[in-house]
Amino acid sequence: MTPCAFTTELAEDPCFAVEATAGLRQRWPDVGVSRGFVLPRARLGGSLASGPVGVDVEVAAIRTGGEAGYLGVLGESIVPRVELWRAVGVYEPRDGLVLVGSAGLIPDRFVAAVDGGALVGGALPYTLDRALLDRSDLGGGVLLHTKSVDVALDATSGEGLARRERNDGLDVTAYVDVHPGEHLHVQGMAREGSRGMDRARDHRAALRVLVDFERVEAGVEGVSAWGVDADPLRTVLGASSYALVQQGPVAGALRADVTSYGSAGLRVSGFAAVGLGLPLAAEDPPARVWLGLEHGRDDAAAAPLAGADALARWTSAFLLVDVHLVHPEAP
Amino acid sequence: MRHACLPILLLPACADPNVDARSAWLHEAFYVQDAAWVSRPELVVKYDAMQADPYDFLRGTSGVWYADLARPHAGREPTSLVHDPREGAVLLFGDPHPENLSTCRAGAVDSRAQTVELVDLDGATYGPWPVDLRRAALGLALLAEPLACDCDAELVAGLVRGYQDGLEGRPIVYGRILDELLVDAAEDGTQREKLDRLAPIGADGRAFALSETLTVVTTEERARTERLLTSWAQARDLRVLEVARQHGVGVASIPAERFLVRFDRGDDGPDDDDLVQLREVLDPPAIPGLAPPVAVRFADNAARIRSARALWSRSDADVLADGIAADGVSYKTLAESSWFKSVDHVKLGVDWAEGELTTEDLVGLARAIGHVLATGHTRAPGADGAESGDAIRASFDAATAEDELVRMLASDRATLLDDAARFATLRERFGPQLGFDL
């Protein structure tokens, strides 16, 4: 992962990054909302460092009407949102041991670990996609980095930047990334948190295993949520697995997700995609064109409208261009 | 307020183990619904109105209601009325409660033709058609709640009967409540009662009667409304004469920016003057239907409002109605005239108390609403651009719809009244603006 914006690390040199995924989607059953220009991701970020201290900023485009809102992109309803805004300080007391302190709108480390570049066809990380974790939160944290283990502890408000008038709670998140070898990461997080002014519980625990070889990246993760959207009684269990294979300019991506809403049932979804890197000769292409198929289905009780089984299955084909530009390029 | 701060992970985190789950969720849902307005003092006025009257609580909570409908949990009432995916992307009114039903002067601005429409399209977007019926049934039940008529089943039967009539293309039967409203509207409209009240003729001609609820616009507001109204007025060959800021109108949209505009058609005298309301429009609640993400169908809320006019039985139901945008904010225009009279639940309560209203009259109103819904659902193009009528007709079964709506209504009404009590408690605990003060 490039040490610039969209990562949990501080870039050593000033840099900026642009990430965007846009394209066309055709959905079945075709009910008219199937064909359309989609902009699942558009982010602009930058890092500025001077010696051991620096700042990161990241701005993303969002649809104000939400993903179910039929509004956005061409009108005023797509707006910029600050996703990250933090000051970072690095202290290296001895070789192999690094302490990184950060404060501001800091990233969720479990999300950020798989939120950069075109890991899986430009798709959102599973925990973001199912709204089980947020990309960032307001607060501060400390990361202890060694050769084989990263450990972090973050204290945040749980309400992010947009809801700053309610930021009198405290979420405490522990994160660990064990990387015993070059190719293996075992990442875990646990959060004791609350949501809303009534401070309903909003706890999370998650575990991920990632393997990262030259041509293959793959991961499997599970997450458990106690309390969702300020409803302390709701519990959600989810799991996702994904893989990305690259050979020259050609890449292939697979992902399968399953989310359990307790007695309401399951949502199952997944996609397969092939990508072609541009330019064709690039080792790590800054752009990819993805062609893929996605399928999802809900149990009737877990469908957006309970009981409406006819609305609970969908398939879509997508053609996406995924651009990831970093300046200057990392060595 | 005391919170149990648990020593977890060496730091004290502060989830409250004794929190009332429904209240906590409700509080958050209110924030999500009203986030755009938390810095406006009028939000307290809206909340005051909602706390004072369960019907107004219903009016102020459509976003909360839809959010609750969408939450995947086992306790949700399942529908058995949707069998075709196209039924999930029907253009809906979104908030078809009885007070959104209004008489309209159809046709040209000097026309005497009348129609009845659900004029408020703020919540209009795509979704499954039974949701509009469910929300309408809840609105009717809340209207009837203080009357103690014990007539839920009759109201639902009337609503479903009217819907079936509309699907089958039978003419609408307005019933006594709407018939009387149409007569009043024609009488007051002819006499220009609202125009003369809001902008009376004085020594210097006609001008707004400024008051606490109708105030002078700022320089910035004047410039902005000029930008908004220029092309709107040109397209209709109208002259904008005067603009004033309007406050405290409606319930759900009380915090919305609202202007009253006086215009004419070119004569220098006051006889061709008229009024139009210009009001800010926000994103509608997301109606649970198709699994997201769904593709964009409206460039902005102004485009949405313009498209949603296709729901009206007459496209010329209000020739002044439009959606317009400037500076990234959408507004809608609606005629402000005595020809446009809405159902008033308070007045109906008085009529009931005086013995001038019967259950049969309420059922007639329900039947008319059902008909208006069916006409809109089948007339307006669905998200695929084609009529939704065939898909709805193929799935619609009156007996099933009636059973399902009666069952859902019992649950919806109990939840809403319970939520209204929780809302009052939340305001006691967190303050009149629920603690959302910036």
Side-chain angles (χ1 to χ4, degrees):
Chain A
M1 193 173 294
T2 312
C4 188
F6 319 135
T7 82
T8 56
E9 301 172 49
L10 177 66
E12 290 179 3
D13 298 306
C15 71
F16 68 87
V18 177
E19 243 181 33
T21 305
L24 298 168
R25 185 180 287 273
Q26 164 75 49
R27 179 172 162 146
W28 295 274
D30 184 356
V31 291
V33 289
S34 315
R35 295 170 299 276
F37 174 79
V38 291
L39 183 70
R41 181 166 58 176
R43 292 197 285 170
L44 173 68
S47 296
L48 186 63
S50 173
V53 295
V55 293
D56 280 345
V57 178
E58 182 186 320
V59 179
I62 60 161
R63 281 165 63 166
T64 62
E67 292 299 299
Y70 298 99
L71 275 159
V73 181
L74 298 175
E76 90 280 14
S77 297
I78 189 128
V79 295
R81 180 172 67 187
V82 175
E83 297 268 25
L84 182 73
W85 191 56
R86 62 173 177 169
V88 184
V90 180
Y91 174 57
E92 192 167 353
R94 59 179 169 82
D95 266 0
L97 179 65
V98 182
L99 277 169
V100 182
S102 54
L105 188 64
I106 62 173
D108 182 299
R109 299 176 198 272
F110 192 79
V111 172
V114 290
D115 195 22
L119 180 61
V120 192
L124 285 176
Y126 168 74
T127 48
L128 275 187
D129 194 34
R130 302 310 310 144
L132 296 173
L133 291 175
D134 294 321
R135 186 169 265 140
S136 56
D137 198 3
L138 207 58
V142 177
L143 171 76
L144 177 70
H145 172 76
T146 68
K147 187 180 173 189
S148 55
V149 180
D150 289 359
V151 179
L153 196 62
D154 296 323
T156 59
S157 73
E159 307 292 347
L161 186 64
R163 302 177 175 191
R164 58 192 179 278
E165 69 275 14
R166 307 187 311 165
N167 289 344
D168 57 354
L170 180 65
D171 283 14
V172 179
T173 305
Y175 171 79
V176 61
D177 180 352
V178 181
H179 35 94
E182 192 183 344
H183 304 297
L184 177 66
H185 286 262
V186 179
Q187 298 162 340
M189 64 84 71
R191 183 175 80 202
E192 205 283 353
S194 61
R195 184 88 172 177
M197 297 179 70
D198 296 58
R199 292 184 179 165
R201 70 172 182 172
D202 197 51
H203 307 329
R204 298 289 182 273
L207 185 68
R208 174 189 295 132
V209 179
L210 269 178
V211 291
D212 183 358
F213 293 92
E214 189 179 350
R215 294 198 172 92
V216 177
E217 294 175 25
V220 58
E221 65 186 62
V223 59
S224 183
W226 297 270
V228 177
D229 291 339
D231 180 349
L233 299 183
R234 273 186 70 198
T235 55
V236 177
L237 269 173
S240 175
S241 58
Y242 39 89
L244 175 70
V245 181
Q246 300 178 76
Q247 177 65 52
V250 180
L254 283 170
R255 177 158 135 185
D257 303 336
V258 58
T259 310
S260 167
Y261 296 100
S263 50
L266 299 177
R267 163 168 288 190
V268 180
S269 60
F271 68 78
V274 291
L276 189 64
L278 297 173
L280 291 175
E283 282 284 314
D284 187 11
R288 275 204 178 93
V289 178
W290 289 97
L291 183 63
L293 269 178
E294 183 176 22
H295 179 73
R297 59 181 302 167
D298 296 322
D299 287 346
L305 184 67
D309 201 38
L311 309 180
R313 295 183 180 87
W314 70 99
T315 301
S316 68
F318 56 84
L319 178 67
L320 297 172
V321 178
D322 194 356
V323 178
H324 181 84
L325 299 172
V326 178
H327 180 80
E329 274 193 51
Chain B
M1 187 181 2
R2 183 181 165 278
H3 293 288
C5 294
L6 306 173
I8 300 225
L9 304 174
L10 305 179
L11 282 173
C14 296
D16 185 348
N18 302 313
V19 68
D20 174 71
R22 179 75 190 179
S23 290
W25 175 83
L26 196 64
H27 201 176
E28 178 74 2
F30 269 107
Y31 182 83
V32 173
Q33 175 187 271
D34 294 325
W37 287 336
V38 294
S39 61
R40 299 189 188 180
E42 291 89 350
L43 185 57
V44 173
V45 182
K46 169 181 170 173
Y47 286 170
D48 286 344
M50 287 164 55
Q51 190 171 341
D53 185 332
Y55 189 90
D56 288 340
F57 184 79
L58 166 92
R59 289 185 60 168
T61 51
S62 70
V64 173
W65 191 75
Y66 281 116
D68 201 17
L69 215 60
R71 291 196 300 158
H73 62 87
R76 294 191 299 173
E77 292 284 352
T79 183
S80 56
L81 296 171
V82 176
H83 302 104
D84 184 326
R86 287 178 298 161
E87 295 174 75
V90 175
L91 189 58
L92 305 184
F93 290 93
D95 196 13
H97 65 80
E99 288 195 342
N100 273 343
L101 197 66
S102 172
T103 63
C104 299
R105 176 171 58 179
V109 282
D110 53 357
S111 161
R112 295 179 62 86
Q114 287 180 288
T115 179
V116 173
E117 310 286 353
L118 282 159
V119 287
D120 190 337
L121 302 174
D122 285 13
T125 187
Y126 298 110
W129 61 271
V131 171
D132 255 356
L133 279 169
R134 183 172 173 175
R135 180 93 182 145
L138 182 59
L140 285 160
L142 263 288
L143 182 145
E145 178 78 16
L147 316 183
C149 63
D150 193 23
C151 54
D152 279 2
E154 290 96 322
L155 291 175
V156 168
L159 185 70
V160 171
R161 171 91 184 273
Y163 198 79
Q164 187 169 22
D165 289 346
L167 287 181
E168 293 173 358
R170 296 197 193 98
I172 190 168
V173 179
Y174 285 134
R176 206 178 91 186
I177 292 171
L178 292 177
D179 280 338
E180 289 181 4
L181 206 59
L182 284 162
V183 170
D184 285 352
E187 193 173 305
D188 291 348
T190 306
Q191 292 173 4
R192 316 187 84 191
E193 183 272 336
K194 189 174 267 185
L195 173 68
D196 287 340
R197 177 161 45 86
L198 294 170
I201 300 173
D204 299 325
R206 192 184 290 280
F208 280 135
L210 298 176
S211 63
E212 272 189 10
T213 57
L214 197 61
T215 60
V216 176
V217 288
T218 64
T219 308
E220 187 276 326
E221 287 170 340
R222 184 182 305 281
R224 186 148 41 90
T225 51
E226 277 177 13
R227 286 197 297 280
L228 280 163
L229 290 166
T230 299
S231 58
W232 174 87
Q234 282 172 351
R236 293 165 177 80
D237 202 17
L238 303 174
R239 289 192 309 183
V240 172
L241 303 173
E242 192 179 14
V243 179
R245 182 75 196 270
Q246 206 175 17
H247 308 271
V249 180
V251 176
S253 60
I254 284 176
E257 200 175 46
R258 191 186 302 254
F259 301 95
L260 199 58
V261 180
R262 185 166 65 88
F263 64 90
D264 73 5
R265 287 177 284 282
D267 292 347
D268 288 336
D271 293 342
D272 66 339
D273 287 7
D274 237 322
L275 300 177
V276 70
Q277 185 192 101
L278 176 68
R279 175 155 74 71
E280 177 188 19
V281 182
L282 300 185
D283 294 339
I287 296 178
L290 302 176
V294 292
V296 170
R297 302 301 294 176
F298 306 113
D300 56 26
N301 283 303
R304 180 175 64 83
I305 293 292
R306 279 196 300 275
S307 301
R309 288 177 56 194
L311 286 162
W312 293 343
S313 67
R314 289 187 59 157
S315 57
D316 61 354
D318 177 359
V319 292
L320 299 175
D322 208 344
I324 48 182
D327 308 331
V329 183
S330 289
Y331 294 79
K332 69 175 185 182
T333 55
L334 272 179
E336 186 81 2
S337 152
S338 297
W339 285 96
F340 295 77
K341 280 192 186 292
S342 299
V343 171
D344 181 342
H345 78 282
V346 176
K347 180 179 180 305
L348 291 181
V350 172
D351 290 349
W352 179 274
E354 292 174 353
E356 293 175 7
L357 194 68
T358 66
T359 300
E360 194 182 333
D361 297 329
L362 294 173
V363 172
L365 177 65
R367 188 172 171 182
I369 291 175
H371 195 287
V372 169
L373 289 176
T375 307
H377 292 171
T378 55
R379 184 177 188 276
D384 59 358
E387 284 189 2
S388 306
D390 289 346
I392 299 173
R393 284 185 202 99
S395 282
F396 184 79
D397 177 81
T400 306
E402 210 174 304
D403 287 350
E404 187 171 305
L405 286 170
V406 166
R407 178 168 44 84
M408 288 176 170
L409 176 55
S411 158
D412 284 348
R413 183 173 52 188
T415 301
L416 185 126
L417 294 174
D418 197 38
D419 284 351
R422 283 193 161 89
F423 174 70
T425 305
L426 284 170
R427 294 189 84 203
E428 274 176 30
R429 285 177 60 204
F430 292 94
Q433 199 170 308
L434 293 176
F436 303 153
D437 320 62
L438 275 172

